[in-house]
């Protein structure tokens, strides 16, 4: 049986060294690499095989950029399984990691000794939660958060986003929907505020109100157009 390829991403060098050394003692686990920052991780994902990613929530200060990575990767690398290993135990952060980042498990660093079994469980499709309920629970949490955002979008706003996805400009959308261009721009600002308001603690969600491409990408990543 091939060992499980594990990659560790954590900006704390001492903890990173600890967890790499600890996991290296397990004969069925292979540490394919480690990184401290987002750009190093994304580069590694393109170059080396990874089955399970151990990911810290904060990679630079308190910016929650680990959560940013998780959200990006769940659409770019759908087969990559992510286990969050973080000192943060806030319920909202945990819920967002599962709901939007689609992480397979969330474990606080105080319980790092449970990581080998957690990795094996995720690799087998079980996770630390009992396999009969884990999948249903995570799908339920993810679905409820997605639906909450979708409910807050008006029909007009959804139409605007779909036209944006087709490459239409504000003026073209205005003509198609029988609105003036300023009204379309106002609705785009409202959508931006809605998404940013859902993640008030994330620096990376400072979407500029006129950056339509970034807004569209975020809407797709958060499954608002499905």
């Amino acid at each position: 049986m091939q060992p499980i390829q594990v990659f560790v991403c954590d900006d704390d060098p001492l903890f990173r060294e600890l967890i790499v050394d600890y996991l290296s003692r397990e004969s069925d686990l292979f540490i394919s690499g480690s990184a401290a920052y987002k750009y190093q991780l994304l580069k590694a994902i393109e170059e080396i095989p990874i089955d399970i990613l151990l990911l810290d929530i904060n990679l630079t200060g308190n910016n929650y950029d680990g959560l940013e990575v998780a959200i990006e990767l769940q659409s770019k690398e759908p087969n990559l399984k992510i286990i969050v290993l973080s000192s943060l135990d806030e319920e909202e952060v945990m819920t967002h990691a599962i709901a939007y980042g689609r992480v397979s498990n969330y474990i606080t660093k105080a319980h790092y000794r449970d990581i080998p079994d957690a990795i094996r469980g995720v690799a087998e499709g079980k996770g630390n939660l009992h396999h009969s309920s884990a999948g249903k629970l995570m799908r339920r949490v993810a679905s409820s958060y997605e639906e909450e955002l979708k409910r807050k979008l008006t029909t007009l706003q959804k139409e605007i986003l779909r036209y944006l996805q087709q490459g239409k400009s504000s003026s073209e959308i205005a003509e198609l929907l029988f609105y003036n261009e300023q009204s379309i721009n106002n609705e785009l600002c409202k959508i931006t505020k809605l998404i940013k308001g859902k993640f008030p603690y994330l620096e990376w969600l400072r979407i500029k109100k006129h950056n339509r491409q970034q807004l569209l990408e975020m809407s797709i990543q958060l499954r608002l157009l499905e």
Side-chain angles (χ1 to χ4, degrees):
M1 181 181 293
Q2 291 292 326
I4 302 169
Q5 305 276 342
V6 181
F7 192 92
V8 178
C9 188
D10 194 301
D11 68 328
D12 183 336
L14 293 178
F15 185 82
R16 190 171 65 250
E17 182 179 351
L18 167 70
I19 199 67
V20 166
D21 177 68
Y22 179 63
L23 295 178
S24 297
R25 302 173 194 171
E26 304 291 327
S27 60
D28 59 337
L29 306 181
F30 177 77
I31 305 301
S32 57
S34 64
Y37 304 111
K38 174 185 174 181
Y39 75 91
Q40 296 171 328
L41 169 61
L42 295 179
K43 186 173 186 294
I45 286 174
E46 295 177 354
E47 299 176 350
I48 60 178
I50 303 172
D51 298 318
I52 306 288
L53 169 62
L54 293 184
L55 179 65
D56 190 12
I57 285 290
N58 286 330
L59 300 177
T60 50
N62 295 313
N63 291 326
Y64 298 85
D65 39 359
L67 179 53
E68 173 186 355
V69 171
I71 292 176
E72 289 184 11
L73 290 180
Q74 57 98 358
S75 57
K76 294 180 180 178
E77 301 288 339
N79 294 324
L80 178 64
K81 304 299 183 184
I82 300 175
I83 296 176
V84 168
L85 186 57
S86 175
S87 56
L88 293 174
D89 59 359
E90 299 169 18
E91 182 178 336
E92 183 178 34
V93 175
M94 290 181 176
T95 305
H96 280 176
I98 293 172
Y100 292 113
R102 301 285 174 146
V103 305
S104 299
N105 216 325
Y106 191 116
I107 301 174
T108 57
K109 288 183 175 180
H111 301 284
Y112 74 91
R113 293 185 183 278
D114 296 333
I115 287 295
D117 285 340
I119 290 172
R120 296 181 186 107
V122 169
E124 294 172 4
K126 298 177 182 178
N128 264 6
L129 297 174
H130 192 266
H131 63 86
S132 65
S133 61
K136 293 179 181 178
L137 175 61
M138 291 194 180
R139 283 194 298 271
R140 185 183 223 175
V141 172
S143 176
S144 66
Y145 267 70
E146 287 170 5
E147 291 304 316
E148 180 185 349
L149 267 179
K150 287 178 183 177
R151 281 196 302 270
K152 291 183 178 180
L153 282 177
T154 66
T155 300
L156 172 60
Q157 290 168 348
K158 291 175 184 176
E159 286 185 294
I160 292 171
L161 286 173
R162 290 193 177 96
Y163 279 127
L164 273 184
Q165 194 174 22
Q166 295 172 21
K168 305 292 185 184
S169 66
S170 291
S171 58
E172 290 173 324
I173 295 172
E175 185 175 351
L176 287 165
L177 296 177
F178 304 102
Y179 282 83
N180 60 54
E181 187 174 350
Q182 185 57 51
S183 295
I184 299 301
N185 290 335
N186 288 341
E187 292 302 319
L188 288 171
C189 288
K190 291 177 184 177
I191 299 170
T192 300
K193 289 179 180 177
L194 172 63
I195 294 177
K196 289 170 68 174
K198 190 63 183 173
F199 302 89
Y201 47 81
L202 291 184
E203 292 291 323
W204 63 281
L205 267 176
R206 288 179 176 168
I207 305 173
K208 296 180 180 178
K209 63 181 179 180
H210 297 302
N211 191 333
R212 289 162 176 73
Q213 186 57 38
Q214 187 183 8
L215 176 60
L216 177 60
E217 288 174 1
M218 280 302 308
S219 299
I220 292 172
Q221 288 173 1
L222 296 176
R223 303 171 185 265
L224 298 183
L225 299 181
E226 294 181 6

